[in-house]
Amino acid sequence: MRNVNPLIEVDFEESVFMALLKNLQPGQKLTAAAVLTALDEDGDIETFSQADFLAIPFDISDLPKAVLTGELGTRLRLEQQLAAEGKLLTGLEENDPLRLYLEEIAAIPVCGDVAVLAKELFTANLAGREDPELWQKLLNLSLSRIVEIACEYTGYGVQLLDLIQEGSMGLWQYLPQFTDSNFEVMRDRCVRYAMKKLLILQAYANGVGQKMRQAMEDYRSVDERLLADLGRNPTLEEIAEALHMDAETAASVKEMIDSARLVNRAKAEPEPDPQEEELAVEDTAYFQMRQRISELLSSLEEADVQLLSLRFGLEGGMPLSPEEVGKRLNMTAPEVVAREAAALAKLRKEG
C-alpha cells in the first residue's frame, strides 16, 4: 500500500485522479467538479469507486441537480417534494417499497441507548474485539437518522431507497474502525460520505462531467472574446449576460474552472522544465496577455506593476480576482478594475 496523501492510503497506480488527491492539502475539500473533471479526462472511475476517501471532506455544492424525464424523473421529483414537506409516509402509496421500508424501521423496537452502546463499541474496538451484534444494534438505532440525511440529498438523480442503502452500508463498513467516543458525529460523517460518493458516481454515469466541460469551454470562449473586445478582464455579470445565464450560474461555472486548474496542476510534472513551462498554453484568457504585458511593465508606475502582476499572475502565482487584489493593496474591487483598465490602456498605447 502506497501513501499518496497525508490523509489517505490507496493501492492504485498513479493517475490524473490520484495526482489530484496528492495535491490536496490536509483539511482541503474535494469538490464534485474537481472529481468529475478528473474522471472525465482520465476515465479512472474504478479508482474513485473503490478507494477510501473518508478522511477527505467531500463538497457537492457545485454538483448540479439532475433534470430527468420519464418515470424516474417523476419519481425523483415526488420524493424531493415529499421529503421537503416531511410527508414521505403519508404521501406514498401503501405498497410503495420506500413506504414499506420506512414503516419497517419505525417498527424496530428500541434496543438500547446510543451513548451507552457507543461506549461499549469504543471499548471493544480499542481492544481489537469485533462485535457484530453490537454493530447491528447501533445500526438499527441509526436507521431513522440515515433516512433524515438521505432526504437532504434528494434531487441529484438517485432514489431515496438507494441513498438509504448506501448510507447504511457506509456506516456498517466503518463501524469496525470506530475509535472515538463521539459516535453520532462519526456516524453522520460516514453516512454523508457514502451518499455523496454515490451521487458523484451517478452524476458521472449521467454525463454530468461532459456537460460541465462544455459549460467551461463556453465560459472560456466568451471570456476570451470579451477580453479582446473590452481591452480588460470582463466582469462576471458581463460574461453571464453574453452566455445568456444568470450570474449565479456563471459563478458556478467559474468555480468549476478553478477546480479544473487544480486538475491541470495535478497533471504537471513534479519538476517541469522552466523553458517548457514558460511556453505552455495556459487554460484561461487571463494569461493570453501575460508575455506582452511583462515586456511593457517598465513604463508603468510601481503600484500599477504590482497590481497587474497580481491580477495576471506574472510572478508565477495564479491570477487573483479584483476582490483578492484589493485586499492585498488596500483598495476596493471597483478601484482595482478601474486602475487595471487604465494601466492596460497605457500599455496598449505604448505597445
Side-chain angles (χ1 to χ4, degrees):
M1 187 164 290
R2 181 166 51 89
N3 190 2
V4 299
N5 185 282
L7 299 175
I8 62 171
E9 289 187 340
V10 295
D11 53 359
F12 296 93
E13 293 298 322
E14 184 73 0
S15 66
V16 171
F17 181 66
M18 298 315 299
L20 169 63
L21 295 180
K22 288 175 68 173
N23 281 269
L24 287 178
Q25 299 300 315
Q28 184 177 357
K29 292 182 179 180
L30 186 62
T31 68
V35 173
L36 289 169
T37 302
L39 294 179
D40 194 61
E41 290 191 357
D42 195 78
D44 203 6
I45 193 67
E46 184 177 355
T47 300
F48 178 71
S49 62
Q50 296 186 20
D52 179 359
F53 310 116
L54 180 63
I56 302 177
F58 269 19
D59 182 3
I60 63 168
S61 61
D62 55 3
L63 186 66
K65 291 292 182 109
V67 180
L68 301 176
T69 58
E71 292 185 7
L72 177 58
T74 301
R75 173 68 185 194
L76 290 172
R77 287 189 292 273
L78 173 63
E79 290 184 351
Q80 185 175 9
Q81 177 184 349
L82 294 178
E85 297 174 352
K87 298 179 179 178
L88 281 174
L89 273 175
T90 59
L92 295 170
E93 299 291 336
E94 291 186 0
N95 62 343
D96 186 277
L98 176 57
R99 176 167 179 167
L100 294 175
Y101 175 77
L102 295 177
E103 291 175 344
E104 180 182 336
I105 65 173
I108 296 177
V110 176
C111 54
D113 180 83
V114 170
V116 174
L117 293 175
K119 187 175 181 179
E120 293 180 17
L121 178 63
F122 181 46
T123 303
N125 285 349
L126 283 179
R129 185 179 71 255
E130 294 187 359
D131 193 337
E133 183 178 349
L134 183 57
W135 300 349
Q136 187 63 57
K137 288 181 179 179
L138 279 167
L139 180 60
N140 288 342
L141 287 172
S142 300
L143 290 176
S144 60
R145 176 57 180 161
I146 293 173
V147 172
E148 290 178 3
I149 296 175
C151 288
E152 298 176 14
Y153 297 120
T154 57
Y156 286 102
V158 178
Q159 294 189 62
L160 274 172
L161 266 179
D162 292 331
L163 284 168
I164 294 168
Q165 179 182 13
E166 198 70 19
S168 301
M169 291 175 60
L171 179 56
W172 183 267
Q173 176 184 353
Y174 289 104
L175 276 172
Q177 304 176 27
F178 178 56
T179 58
D180 191 293
S181 57
N182 196 343
F183 171 76
E184 291 172 292
V185 172
M186 184 268 190
R187 174 198 63 196
D188 288 6
R189 181 180 180 187
C190 293
V191 171
R192 291 184 188 280
Y193 162 73
M195 292 181 183
K196 288 178 181 179
K197 191 172 180 180
L198 175 62
L199 293 176
I200 294 176
L201 287 170
Q202 186 61 52
Y204 176 85
N206 291 342
V208 174
Q210 184 59 40
K211 294 175 183 176
M212 284 182 169
R213 291 177 59 78
Q214 184 59 56
M216 289 158 59
E217 290 300 322
D218 293 343
Y219 187 103
R220 288 182 177 128
S221 177
V222 168
D223 188 13
E224 180 179 353
R225 175 171 60 81
L226 290 178
L227 176 64
D229 293 345
L230 302 174
R232 60 170 173 79
N233 292 320
T235 65
L236 181 65
E237 290 72 19
E238 290 170 334
I239 295 175
E241 182 179 359
L243 288 169
H244 305 291
M245 63 175 58
D246 57 65
E248 182 178 354
T249 303
S252 297
V253 177
K254 184 179 183 301
E255 289 180 4
M256 287 191 285
I257 292 175
D258 292 338
S259 296
R261 290 198 192 111
L262 183 61
V263 175
N264 289 335
R265 289 199 299 273
K267 292 190 296 182
E269 293 293 331
E271 296 181 0
D273 186 320
Q275 292 183 343
E276 292 181 0
E277 186 177 23
E278 183 178 351
L279 296 175
V281 177
E282 304 285 1
D283 65 347
T284 70
Y286 289 123
F287 294 91
Q288 294 189 7
M289 298 171 67
R290 242 177 103 168
Q291 184 174 357
R292 183 57 178 157
I293 292 174
S294 297
E295 296 172 355
L296 298 173
L297 285 181
S298 59
S299 64
L300 298 179
E301 297 179 10
E302 183 177 349
D304 290 332
V305 172
Q306 185 180 11
L307 184 146
L308 292 181
S309 295
L310 292 172
R311 284 289 288 131
F312 288 88
L314 299 179
E315 296 178 353
M318 296 300 294
L320 302 181
S321 68
E323 291 78 9
E324 293 169 325
V325 173
K327 290 180 181 179
R328 296 197 182 191
L329 301 183
N330 196 26
M331 301 170 61
T332 66
E335 288 174 341
V336 171
V337 173
R339 186 150 188 169
E340 174 192 337
L344 291 177
K346 183 176 181 180
L347 290 181
R348 286 195 301 272
K349 182 178 179 180
E350 297 189 5

